[in-house]
Amino acid sequence: MMRFARAGVAALALAIATPVAAQAMGPGGGMGLGGARMFQDMSPEGRAIMRQAMRDARESDTVVAIHAARGRMLDILAADPFDAAALQRTMQEERQLVLSQHQRMHAAMVAGFSRLTPADRRAFATSARAAREWMEDRREQRRERFEGRAGQR
């Protein structure tokens, strides 16, 4: 039973941390979509369009609410007695907030992409593919390290 509880805590911690890390890092350890590396092969005009699209998608109140919900999840996990219903409610709240943030980002990105030249759209897609491959490689390296450590126990 304790093993399952530890696995649940680890899974929740990963679920909380992964979106932040995935959004922050890109190839070579640079920034992901929000950083210069993602836009490096685009024209200055294309870079400005996409940076503005991403700024338009941000809603700081939602970001603050997402972080607060994730903090409440950790508080619920640390509490004794454990309240599974409260955790489920808080996870649902966090999921809805993240979904609304993603929907806002998607709409802003489509608006930005529709203003790009074909060359800038291709450059963006090429950079996004490289970032995805880099993240997949990192994920595989971490999985291999984790499995190697688990086999040593």
Side-chain angles (χ1 to χ4, degrees), residues 1-135:
M1 183 67 174
M2 189 57 130
R3 179 192 293 167
F4 293 118
R6 273 190 250 140
V9 170
L12 179 62
L14 183 61
I16 291 170
T18 298
V20 174
Q23 292 167 8
M25 299 303 290
M31 294 302 289
L33 293 176
R37 291 183 188 274
M38 191 66 189
F39 303 131
Q40 68 186 4
D41 295 329
M42 295 173 68
S43 70
E45 297 81 13
R47 284 194 294 272
I49 288 168
M50 292 313 296
R51 285 195 176 110
Q52 186 60 50
M54 293 170 73
R55 272 193 289 277
D56 292 347
R58 290 192 192 110
E59 183 180 318
S60 61
D61 290 344
T62 302
V63 172
V64 169
I66 290 168
H67 288 286
R70 290 174 178 167
R72 286 192 305 278
M73 282 190 265
L74 296 174
D75 292 342
I76 292 166
L77 279 173
D80 191 21
F82 173 64
D83 186 346
L87 182 60
Q88 288 176 329
R89 284 190 305 274
T90 306
M91 287 176 143
Q92 176 63 28
E93 174 191 348
E94 187 264 356
R95 190 170 29 257
Q96 292 302 317
L97 289 164
V98 168
L99 179 61
S100 72
Q101 183 73 10
H102 284 189
Q103 288 170 334
R104 194 171 18 269
M105 179 62 81
H106 290 173
M109 298 298 282
V110 168
F113 291 142
S114 67
R115 295 179 51 210
L116 293 179
T117 65
D120 278 337
R121 281 196 311 275
R122 282 191 297 275
F124 186 94
T126 298
S127 293
R129 280 188 186 101
R132 183 180 62 195
E133 290 170 8
W134 180 84
M135 286 187 285

